[in-house]
Amino acid sequence: MPEVRLEGLGKRYGNLTAVNNVHLTVHDGEYVTVLGPSGCGKTTLIRMIAGIIEPTEGKVYIDGRDMAGVPIEDRDIGYVFQNIALFPHLTVKDNVSYGPRARALPPEEQLRVSRRFLELVRLLDRMGMFPDELCGGEQQKAALARALASGSRLLLLDEPLSALDSRVRVDLRYELRRLAKELGLTTIHVTHDQEEAQSVSDRIVLMRAGAIVETGTPEELYARPKHIFTANFIGETNLLEGWVVEIRDGISVIELRNGGKVEVHQTDHSVGDAVVISVRPEFMYPADEGMRAVVRGITYMGTYWRVKAETEDDEEVDFDMATLDGNLLTIGKDVYLAVNPKAAVLYPRPEDGVEEAIRLE
Ligand SMILES: Nc1ncnc2c1ncn2[C@@H]1O[C@H](COP(=O)(O)OP(=O)(O)OP(=O)(O)O)[C@@H](O)[C@H]1O
Ligand SMILES: [Mg+2]
């Protein structure tokens, strides 16, 4: 049963720390995504799990077994590399049936398995072609089929969908999760796309600058992120600075730097504390009183309207409207904005400022 455990895992290149002190357990059958901005160490991390990169410090355990010195071919993993690595001299079919062949399945079983996964990635009609006859997206699908067909119970995917059109990418990510669950695979899926991470994961591991910021279910990281960085990186949010001016009945009243006052259902700060409120655009709305702002832009988003407004101290805030009918929101109009007190999250104001706290580096 593939459980992956990382203990104090780190990788340094000279002065540069690519991965720093990562502790993580991925449970048997769990689908975990490693999410984070470009350069935060995702590929380095997954390559250490695969045994392609040797850690500078720390340990990788697969099924409780210390992997130090165990080469990739002995770790029993299905791997999709970030830069797709198909065998150039083999056809698509032979690439995909590489694993089944290595496991010495009977030829008809090899064919059945590779057809199954090629069908899944909609590549059956390209079976006889060579990798350099495929476009980038098709190569990526072939690499995915090959990893799935490998028969390994541990799947390591490094940006497996990045070269695909958005429609195909969305379709395939659901297939991927469904299949991983159906086959009982343990999956570690690296992506920099937060929407992809949210839609496929049991749990998201959010990284920044080589370290884990926090881990949690997609719902936890969206609704109750522990860090401002997470609030900003996962989904969209408004970060508003202010001070706690009153606490009563489970509610903190915050006076915002831009002059408004809002209430938040959270009381783990004291009166006088400098705080930052994170509030998603869908939880902010025009009201009779609140934070004053001027509407600067209105964009139709398909199922809602995104309104951009500017507060009195020139901060931009975004809020969403399900409809504009009968609601005289127009560019240049003054509005008061209120915040859903249950959906806003309070943070202590970071010492080095909000900009620094959310910087992607
Ligand atoms: N072989 C190497 N030698 C020196 N530095 C390296 C090496 N490999 C990676 N790095 C550095 O380590 C950091 C992490 O790289 P990594 O490839 O793990 O990032 P990533 O999160 O996968 O980024 P992306 O989303 O762009 O793929 C980067 O700053 C990168 O430049
Ligand atoms: Mg990478």
Side-chain angles (χ1 to χ4, degrees), residues 13 16 18 36-45 82 158-159 190 192:
Y13 294 105
L16 186 141
S38 184
C40 73
K42 306 179 295 293
T43 294
T44 308
L45 183 73
Q82 180 165 18
D158 194 352
E159 307 274 4
V190 163
H192 64 276

Side-chain angles (χ1 to χ4, degrees), residues 83-98:
N83 45 356
I84 307 143
L86 293 166
F87 302 119
H89 58 289
L90 296 182
T91 62
V92 168
K93 178 183 117 329
D94 289 342
N95 261 284
V96 176
S97 59
Y98 183 84

